[in-house]
Amino acid sequence: MADTAATTAAAAPNNPFGRAAELLRHGDIALALCVVGILMVLLLPLPPWLLDVLLACSITFSVLILMVALFIQRPLDFSSFPTVLLIATMLRLSLNLATTRLILTHGHEGSQAAGRVIQAFGNLIMGGSFVIGVIVFAILVIVNFVVITKGSGRIAEVSARFSLDAMPGKQMAIDADLSAGLINEADARQRRQTLEDESTFFGSMDGAAKFVRGDAIAGLLIVFINIVAGIIIGTLQHNLTLLQASQTYTLLTVGDGLVAQIPGLIVSTAAGLLVSKAGVIGSADKAMFNQLGGYPKALGLSAVLAIAMGMMPGIPTVPFLGLAAGAASLAYYMMRQRTEQEAAATAAANAPAPPAEEPIATALQMDILRLELGYGLLPLINSEKGQRLTDQIKALRRQLAGDIGFVMPAVRIQDNMQLPSTGYVIRVKEIVAGRGEIQPSALLVMDPRGEAIALPGEQTKEPTFGLPAMWVDESHREEAMFKGYTVVDPPTVITTHLTEIIKDNMAEMLSYSETQKLLDELGREHQKLVADIIPSQITVGGAQRVLQNLLSERVSIRDLQSILEAVSEACTHTRNVTAITEHVRARLARHISDTNTNAAGIIPLVTLSPEWEQAFAESLIGQGDERQLSMAPSRLQEFIAKVRQTFERHAMMGETPVLLTSPLARPYIRSIVERFRPMTTVMSQNEIHPKARIKTVGSI
């Protein structure tokens, strides 16, 4: 509706509001007309009534400039000030010329010849004496030209110079914040634009100060010319006496000069406020009063000095005592307010902070390892008797770092009221990977020979491997150890279970960031090797998959240097991760052979018969990276049954042999065996170290 009304008003030919709205919508045309009008004033004579209107506009325009300079928050908020200053200066100079024309043409007719505004200013300031008017006008010119204009120009000049000198450093600071991620590209672009605007503004203000200075000089010259020329014209052309001509033309000229200099003084003050504000943020009253009134002690001392001045002989006491009372009252009020604010801040700091609402993004975070305990097992965390569960977990992390080659993630321990009081759950990436129940005040006893335990207690199964066990009282510890039983305290039961869970899921716990961390923490002498391999030969993700393949079969990655060297060798002829892993395993033959050597120093082997080796070789289809196993399901079931039967027979004899295969078939056979016997080690002939002692204990 408002738009419709505005359109209707603009369309009405006799509606002034419509014409004003139309003019505002075309500000560029309006500004051009104003500038042309100012130039026309320089050429065309004006009637006195129109000159009064334009002089009133000049004074009002100057006051508007001053008010804007007082209320803006930053100097850059009035960046158009140099342009506005030029227009205001042109307007005053054109009006000076118009009044000069009227004064010299009609000055003999009386003091109202140049309009009522000039007459009023002349009578008000001069007080009937043209000498007083000349002196007041001279003082105004000196204040404007020597004090305000000169000081503002100097400040603008120094600000422009310092702004240009500091620009490279500020640009580097913006680039540094952008590189550090403290700001984004849009913020950096905005800050660069602000810096450029600031430099341009102060440079323009340095030049704009010359407008004010030139205006003051021009006003002084115009007044001198008007007085001299007016007296000459009045006495010679209009037959006035020297006193009459001096009185009339001086009144008109000084009035004209005051009408021009007072707006000039106002604009000069606005320019001084603008350039002297510097980097202070806020309107002029806040910038000044917050700093002047921010020190109660200074106000108190000022009050004391005012009282001392008022007590001096010959000095009027009442003004100084009044000022002292005001300053002292203000200082007391500010001290009291500051004390209350400090007390409130202290109380707020000591008050308990309200619980902050967790951001919804925290729901996306996932614990890699988490141990949940029933409330009956919480004493195991802070137990003073024996080793605490937390200490054992810390030792476990250190041990696995030395055995496996990377630091496992931290274990988060928390209570779970939904579990049985003596139950616990181990989670890997929020998924339950193991659970069990223990007696926190008892000992878990197992017989290594598998026989029945001859002690009073509660029959149970060991939670890690499911072996027969018994919970017995602490008092039977020495008896159980005397009989050769394995005795385990409750924290060790949980730690053992946690160890096996970690070893089964090590490959999943090795993330991309952990892989990058391992590469970064490799010794300085090996960083050249890392730089040559990654990413030219293999990416960090590819290295992560190779390490995960090794960890999935519990092969330590601590010898990362040898692994990277093997990866570099393999990448010369293949990019297949499985083939690269097999080559790495061959390079780690010493470690793999040592890991699978039994107490007698021998690697017990179960070999594949030539028939099975041939069967697997014939079942491999495809070439290179496309190779895969394609064996009949019935044949696979037969192989699985024979492997299970053979290894279960050796397990009953107390042996844990290694399944030995050809290098070509090993990864495929391992992928089959890990589904029903994940603890069984599958090695190829290339992984048997030449100095390792081997013994064939069976064949499939």
Side-chain angles (χ1 to χ4, degrees):
M1 293 178 62
D3 294 341
T4 305
T7 304
T8 304
N14 296 323
N15 190 344
F17 295 103
R19 289 193 294 271
E22 184 68 23
L23 187 63
L24 289 176
R25 281 197 293 268
H26 300 283
D28 52 348
I29 299 177
L31 180 61
L33 292 177
C34 290
V35 174
V36 171
I38 292 173
L39 296 177
M40 293 300 294
V41 171
L42 295 172
L43 303 176
L44 301 177
L46 297 178
W49 66 267
L50 181 57
L51 185 61
D52 289 342
V53 173
L54 293 178
L55 289 174
C57 291
S58 174
I59 297 173
T60 305
F61 187 38
S62 301
V63 174
L64 174 62
I65 295 173
L66 177 62
M67 293 299 104
V68 172
L70 283 172
F71 289 113
I72 59 171
Q73 299 294 313
R74 302 176 306 155
L76 283 181
D77 293 342
F78 201 3
S79 59
S80 62
F81 183 82
T83 303
V84 174
L85 181 61
L86 174 61
I87 294 175
T89 304
M90 289 177 58
L91 177 61
R92 287 197 305 275
L93 291 176
S94 64
L95 292 178
N96 269 338
L97 183 59
T99 55
T100 298
R101 185 183 294 112
L102 286 176
I103 290 172
L104 297 180
T105 304
H106 303 284
H108 63 283
E109 298 176 3
S111 59
Q112 74 280 2
R116 294 186 178 274
V117 173
I118 293 178
Q119 181 185 16
F121 268 84
N123 291 328
L124 178 66
I125 301 299
M126 293 175 61
S129 173
F130 67 89
V131 176
I132 296 176
V134 172
I135 294 173
V136 171
F137 173 77
I139 292 174
L140 284 177
V141 171
I142 292 173
V143 170
N144 187 14
F145 178 67
V146 177
V147 180
I148 299 178
T149 302
K150 188 174 183 180
S152 301
R154 182 58 178 168
I155 294 176
E157 179 184 356
V158 173
S159 299
R161 184 186 306 169
F162 285 175
S163 177
L164 290 174
D165 292 343
M167 181 175 289
K170 293 181 179 180
Q171 288 280 12
M172 293 176 64
I174 295 173
D175 295 339
D177 290 345
L178 179 62
S179 301
L182 300 179
I183 57 175
N184 54 29
E185 186 63 35
D187 295 335
R189 191 180 302 109
Q190 178 63 34
R191 288 174 60 176
R192 292 193 188 99
Q193 183 63 41
T194 303
L195 183 61
E196 182 180 353
D197 293 343
E198 180 181 347
S199 176
T200 304
F201 172 75
F202 284 113
S204 300
M205 287 300 298
D206 184 23
K210 305 300 187 296
F211 295 154
V212 181
R213 182 178 180 181
D215 182 24
I217 296 175
L220 184 62
L221 294 176
I222 290 173
V223 167
F224 177 76
I225 292 172
N226 283 350
I227 292 177
V228 174
I231 293 174
I232 294 174
I233 293 174
T235 55
L236 297 181
Q237 293 185 2
H238 301 291
N239 298 320
L240 297 177
T241 65
L242 181 62
L243 181 62
Q244 291 177 335
S246 300
Q247 182 75 25
T248 302
Y249 285 99
T250 302
L251 174 66
L252 292 173
T253 302
V254 172
D256 173 36
L258 291 174
V259 171
Q261 284 302 313
I262 289 177
L265 182 63
I266 294 174
V267 174
S268 300
T269 305
L273 288 172
L274 202 61
V275 297
S276 62
K277 196 172 185 180
V280 179
I281 302 299
S283 57
D285 63 318
K286 295 179 181 178
M288 184 173 63
F289 293 135
N290 288 346
Q291 297 178 13
L292 282 179
Y295 302 94
K297 294 180 181 179
L299 289 173
L301 290 176
S302 300
V304 173
L305 292 176
I307 294 174
M309 290 289 294
M311 295 301 178
M312 294 180 66
I315 293 182
T317 307
V318 176
F320 284 95
L321 291 182
L323 290 174
S329 301
L330 185 59
Y332 173 76
Y333 171 75
M334 294 182 64
M335 287 289 292
R336 182 177 178 182
Q337 187 178 26
R338 178 172 296 184
T339 303
E340 293 176 355
Q341 290 177 352
E342 292 177 353
T346 303
N350 296 332
E357 183 179 355
E358 289 189 358
I360 193 171
T362 56
L364 302 177
Q365 298 178 359
M366 181 180 294
D367 294 327
I368 304 299
L369 276 174
R370 188 166 72 204
L371 174 61
E372 299 178 358
L373 302 176
Y375 68 88
L377 301 182
L378 295 180
L380 297 178
I381 301 176
N382 300 316
S383 176
E384 299 295 337
K385 181 176 65 175
Q387 194 173 16
R388 293 185 300 179
L389 178 60
T390 53
D391 294 335
Q392 291 194 9
I393 292 177
K394 291 179 182 178
L396 172 62
R397 296 186 68 204
R398 183 173 297 276
Q399 176 188 350
L400 288 177
D403 294 343
I404 304 302
F406 84 100
V407 180
M408 77 175 195
V411 181
R412 182 180 179 186
I413 303 176
Q414 67 178 30
D415 60 327
N416 188 344
M417 301 301 293
Q418 298 179 353
L419 293 176
S421 61
T422 59
Y424 68 89
V425 169
I426 301 174
R427 296 180 182 269
V428 176
K429 293 187 176 180
E430 309 290 339
I431 306 300
V432 176
R435 64 173 66 242
E437 291 192 20
I438 60 176
Q439 299 295 331
S441 58
L443 297 174
L444 186 68
V445 176
M446 294 174 289
D447 189 348
R449 300 177 296 272
E451 299 177 357
I453 300 174
L455 288 175
E458 179 184 347
Q459 296 289 337
T460 184
K461 285 187 176 294
E462 191 272 334
T464 305
F465 303 103
L467 302 176
M470 177 179 288
W471 290 107
V472 301
D473 190 76
E474 178 75 24
S475 59
H476 297 291
R477 177 191 290 270
E478 293 184 1
E479 182 180 357
M481 296 179 67
F482 178 77
K483 293 183 177 181
Y485 298 150
T486 301
V487 181
V488 184
D489 58 1
T492 305
V493 174
I494 298 178
T495 305
T496 303
H497 199 175
L498 181 63
T499 303
E500 293 302 317
I501 294 296
I502 292 173
K503 289 183 178 180
D504 288 341
N505 297 273
M506 286 186 298
E508 192 173 352
M509 296 178 190
L510 182 65
S511 62
Y512 184 96
S513 59
E514 286 293 334
T515 305
Q516 185 66 63
K517 185 177 179 181
L518 288 175
L519 296 173
D520 294 339
E521 293 180 352
L522 202 60
R524 182 181 301 177
E525 64 275 11
H526 304 309
Q527 287 302 318
K528 184 62 169 62
L529 172 64
V530 176
D532 290 343
I533 297 175
I534 296 174
S536 59
Q537 297 184 17
I538 191 171
T539 62
V540 176
Q544 175 192 1
R545 290 181 58 192
V546 172
L547 297 178
Q548 285 177 333
N549 290 342
L550 296 174
L551 291 174
S552 64
E553 299 189 47
R554 301 195 177 188
V555 177
S556 174
I557 61 172
R558 187 175 181 183
D559 190 6
L560 189 57
Q561 174 191 356
S562 299
I563 295 175
L564 293 178
E565 291 174 355
V567 168
S568 178
E569 295 170 359
C571 286
T572 59
H573 57 270
T574 182
R575 298 287 173 161
N576 183 269
V577 175
T578 301
I580 295 174
T581 304
E582 292 303 308
H583 185 79
V584 171
R585 287 178 61 92
R587 282 288 302 269
L588 298 177
R590 181 189 296 275
H591 169 73
I592 296 175
S593 298
D594 181 72
T595 303
N596 294 281
T597 301
N598 59 19
I602 296 174
I603 304 177
L605 302 176
V606 172
T607 61
L608 283 183
S609 64
E611 292 78 8
W612 278 113
E613 291 282 3
Q614 182 68 23
F616 276 103
E618 293 175 352
S619 299
L620 295 177
I621 61 174
Q623 297 293 331
D625 295 346
E626 305 295 331
R627 181 175 295 175
Q628 57 184 344
L629 181 66
S630 177
M631 182 176 285
S634 59
R635 192 68 168 156
L636 283 177
Q637 289 296 330
E638 180 184 356
F639 174 74
I640 292 172
K642 288 184 177 295
V643 172
R644 180 182 286 116
Q645 179 182 1
T646 302
F647 278 87
E648 287 180 356
R649 183 174 66 251
H650 286 284
M652 294 178 61
M653 295 186 298
E655 295 179 347
T656 55
V658 172
L659 180 59
L660 187 66
T661 69
S662 63
L664 185 63
R666 195 209 74 84
Y668 307 101
I669 295 176
R670 169 61 188 174
S671 64
I672 298 171
V673 173
E674 68 178 351
R675 298 182 182 277
F676 63 95
R677 286 190 65 87
M679 298 297 295
T680 300
T681 303
V682 181
M683 296 175 59
S684 70
Q685 290 91 342
N686 292 344
E687 298 167 13
I688 303 294
H689 193 266
K691 295 185 178 181
R693 298 171 58 194
I694 60 176
K695 178 182 178 181
T696 303
V697 297
S699 178
I700 297 175

